[in-house]
Amino acid sequence: MELAGKFLKPVWRPILQVSRLYCEKPMRSLVAFPVAKVESGKSKYMMAHVYIHGEMGSAKQVIRSHSKAKYHLDVYDELKKEAEAMGLCTQGLGGGYLVHDKEKKYIKLYGRSQALGKADHEAARELLQAIYNDHKIDAESGGMEP
């Protein structure tokens, strides 16, 4: 046993350091990933989990909106590109519509995505409230936009 200790003692710290560096970069990316990017005016929005590959337990819920998106999947594709550039994975949770009035400091969440299903508007409201704490945020349940 003493012989194994002599050989392992000098190498265990460098091995541990290398494994930490490997883990730190994805975790830093996940922590730095913005929770919400919301455009002004009326837009399609979607919620998603962003996570480190193989570690769904550390997933972060995020919200993205895009006023010029034709479909909710276009918003998801942009999010996916943003996450992949940082070495992260995504999972769509649903979509809806978002109205953001910067002047009145008001955000309204409603509707659903035909492709992604309905986002949990109440959870989205809570995420946005932490960032836009000076805004009034309403989350409505409802069907497709007319």
Side-chain angles (χ1 to χ4, degrees):
M1 196 63 163
E2 286 182 33
L3 188 61
K6 285 182 180 179
F7 289 112
L8 290 177
K9 207 170 197 177
V11 297
W12 75 272
R13 285 185 189 219
I15 290 172
L16 186 62
Q17 186 64 30
V18 168
S19 67
R20 276 194 200 134
L21 290 175
Y22 174 75
C23 293
E24 283 179 6
K25 186 176 184 228
M27 188 54 74
R28 276 192 303 246
S29 295
L30 184 62
V31 169
F33 200 84
V35 172
K37 287 187 180 176
V38 176
E39 293 185 1
S40 289
K42 183 179 176 184
S43 59
K44 289 178 173 60
Y45 92 94
M46 61 136 334
M47 284 184 69
H49 276 141
V50 176
Y51 59 96
I52 299 167
H53 182 73
E55 296 183 31
M56 192 65 174
S58 63
K60 181 178 191 178
Q61 277 190 339
V62 299
I63 296 172
R64 292 294 183 270
S65 77
H66 198 297
S67 60
K68 295 190 169 111
K70 188 171 182 180
Y71 302 105
H72 285 90
L73 286 175
D74 296 336
V75 180
Y76 181 71
D77 289 341
E78 289 296 317
L79 171 68
K80 191 173 178 181
K81 286 178 194 172
E82 182 184 352
E84 286 175 351
M86 296 177 79
L88 300 170
C89 301
T90 59
Q91 176 189 22
L93 299 175
Y97 295 89
L98 180 144
V99 178
H100 183 201
D101 189 339
K102 284 185 178 180
E103 292 175 11
K104 293 181 181 177
K105 296 187 182 220
Y106 177 74
I107 298 175
K108 179 181 178 181
L109 306 165
Y110 65 96
R112 61 172 299 159
S113 162
Q114 216 169 5
L116 299 169
K118 182 182 168 199
D120 184 349
H121 299 311
E122 192 57 38
R125 187 189 71 73
E126 290 175 16
L127 283 174
L128 290 172
Q129 195 68 65
I131 296 165
Y132 297 97
N133 52 11
D134 60 341
H135 283 54
K136 179 180 181 342
I137 302 174
D138 287 333
E140 296 181 2
S141 60
M144 295 295 290
E145 181 187 10

